[in-house]
């Protein structure tokens, strides 16, 4: 089976812009979670989607949002980018919601200038 | 406030056994503890997952005491290629899941 794929792999944006990142889960996996990784804060949970519904949400401002499509593919959007949003954004998929083994993609590295 | 802690770094020599402990309070009653390995510029890679007592697979063992307030990842006979950052992942809170990674332990394996 193909692994989790994320596009784009690298992205440069300027403050105030918005960005959309995409994640395709492993075939058959129905849950997709998103994480932000920075040197200072480590890996932080953003949100989890299952069956097109957000099931869990971490402690991030409303500028961070996401959605999931009927084929389980997911997108996350960050609006009004700030310098502090520069990070590696990781997507993980699992067969079912919450707690099961999550398989991570390679991430999208976002640089905000 | 729920918190997960790990040693920041560890050094070991090739062929030795390495044990990395993650401490976590307020862990969800019915959820697993998972450990991941991460190399630079890559996503975390699954190592092992357990719920209680001991779990072993072809690459590691995981020890979880009865109170589930900690877990220990054991890597037998490490090699240079095991140099990486190791994270525990737990689910905190029984009402609405919040996935929380530990801060990570940077393991350096020396020849």
């Amino acid at each position: 089976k193909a692994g989790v794929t994320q596009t784009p792999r690298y992205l440069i944006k300027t403050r105030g812009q918005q960005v959309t990142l995409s994640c395709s889960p492993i075939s058959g996996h129905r849950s997709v979670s998103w994480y932000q990784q920075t040197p200072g804060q480590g890996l932080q949970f953003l949100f989890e989607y299952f069956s097109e519904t957000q099931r869990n949400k971490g402690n991030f401002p409303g500028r961070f949002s996401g959605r999931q499509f009927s084929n389980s593919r997911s997108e996350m959007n960050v609006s009004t980018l700030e310098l502090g949003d520069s990070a590696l954004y990781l997507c993980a998929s699992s067969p079912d919601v919450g707690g099961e083994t999550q398989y991570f993609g390679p991430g999208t590295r976002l640089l905000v200038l | 406030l729920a918190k997960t802690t790990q040693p920041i770094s560890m050094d070991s020599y090739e062929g030795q056994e390495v044990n990395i402990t993650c401490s976590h309070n307020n862990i969800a009653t019915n959820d697993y503890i998972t450990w991941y390995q991460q190399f630079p510029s890559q996503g975390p890679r699954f190592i092992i997952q357990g719920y209680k007592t001991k779990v072993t697979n072809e690459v590691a063992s995981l020890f979880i005491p009865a109170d589930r307030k900690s877990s220990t990842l054991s890597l037998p006979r490490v090699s240079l290629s095991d140099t990486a950052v190791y994270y525990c992942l737990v689910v905190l809170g029984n009402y609405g899941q919040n996935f929380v990674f530990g801060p990570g332990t940077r393991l350096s394996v020396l020849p």
Side-chain angles (χ1 to χ4, degrees):
Chain A
K1 279 186 179 178
V4 177
T5 58
Q6 293 187 243
T7 56
R9 293 293 311 278
Y10 304 92
L11 204 51
I12 300 176
K13 291 286 187 179
T14 57
R15 280 181 300 174
Q17 288 187 310
Q18 75 166 12
V19 66
T20 299
L21 311 181
S22 181
C23 171
S24 292
I26 292 171
S27 178
H29 284 194
R30 300 165 63 193
S31 172
V32 173
S33 297
W34 288 89
Y35 294 84
Q36 181 196 64
Q37 185 173 28
T38 60
Q41 300 298 320
L43 282 152
Q44 293 185 284
F45 171 68
L46 280 157
F47 28 65
E48 179 186 26
Y49 284 87
F50 179 81
S51 293
E52 303 177 64
T53 302
Q54 187 181 90
R55 293 304 181 103
N56 301 294
K57 190 176 189 300
N59 188 28
F60 277 81
R63 299 186 297 108
F64 293 82
S65 63
R67 59 177 176 169
Q68 186 180 33
F69 302 96
S70 58
N71 61 358
S72 295
R73 190 177 70 84
S74 178
E75 290 180 346
M76 69 162 283
N77 184 79
V78 187
S79 62
T80 319
L81 284 166
E82 301 176 358
L83 296 180
D85 297 333
S86 294
L88 180 67
Y89 290 89
L90 292 157
C91 164
S93 76
S94 62
D96 209 336
V97 65
E100 291 202 32
T101 302
Q102 298 181 47
Y103 297 89
F104 284 81
T108 294
R109 185 160 302 277
L110 171 66
L111 177 61
V112 182
L113 301 176
Chain B
L1 182 66
K3 190 175 179 181
T4 305
T5 61
Q6 298 178 234
I8 295 175
S9 63
M10 296 179 70
D11 291 338
S12 180
Y13 290 95
E14 280 190 294
Q16 288 188 328
E17 178 185 71
V18 171
N19 295 309
I20 305 173
T21 297
C22 174
S23 298
H24 31 73
N25 58 1
N26 198 30
I27 189 173
T29 304
N30 300 316
D31 283 296
Y32 290 97
I33 299 163
T34 313
W35 282 80
Y36 290 86
Q37 175 193 57
Q38 188 178 29
F39 297 109
S41 302
Q42 295 185 22
R45 185 173 73 96
F46 172 81
I47 301 174
I48 195 167
Q49 183 181 63
Y51 174 66
K52 60 181 179 181
T53 62
K54 178 183 175 181
V55 178
T56 298
N57 63 20
E58 61 276 9
V59 298
S61 294
L62 179 60
F63 301 91
I64 304 170
D67 64 7
R68 292 176 22 100
K69 291 188 182 297
S70 67
S71 61
T72 298
L73 171 71
S74 180
L75 303 172
R77 300 178 298 281
V78 293
S79 64
L80 296 177
S81 63
D82 293 321
T83 294
V85 181
Y86 292 83
Y87 295 93
C88 61
L89 172 64
V90 300
V91 179
L92 296 181
N94 288 303
Y95 302 100
Q97 291 161 353
N98 190 349
F99 300 105
V100 177
F101 272 96
T105 298
R106 185 174 300 278
L107 173 64
S108 297
V109 180
L110 308 173

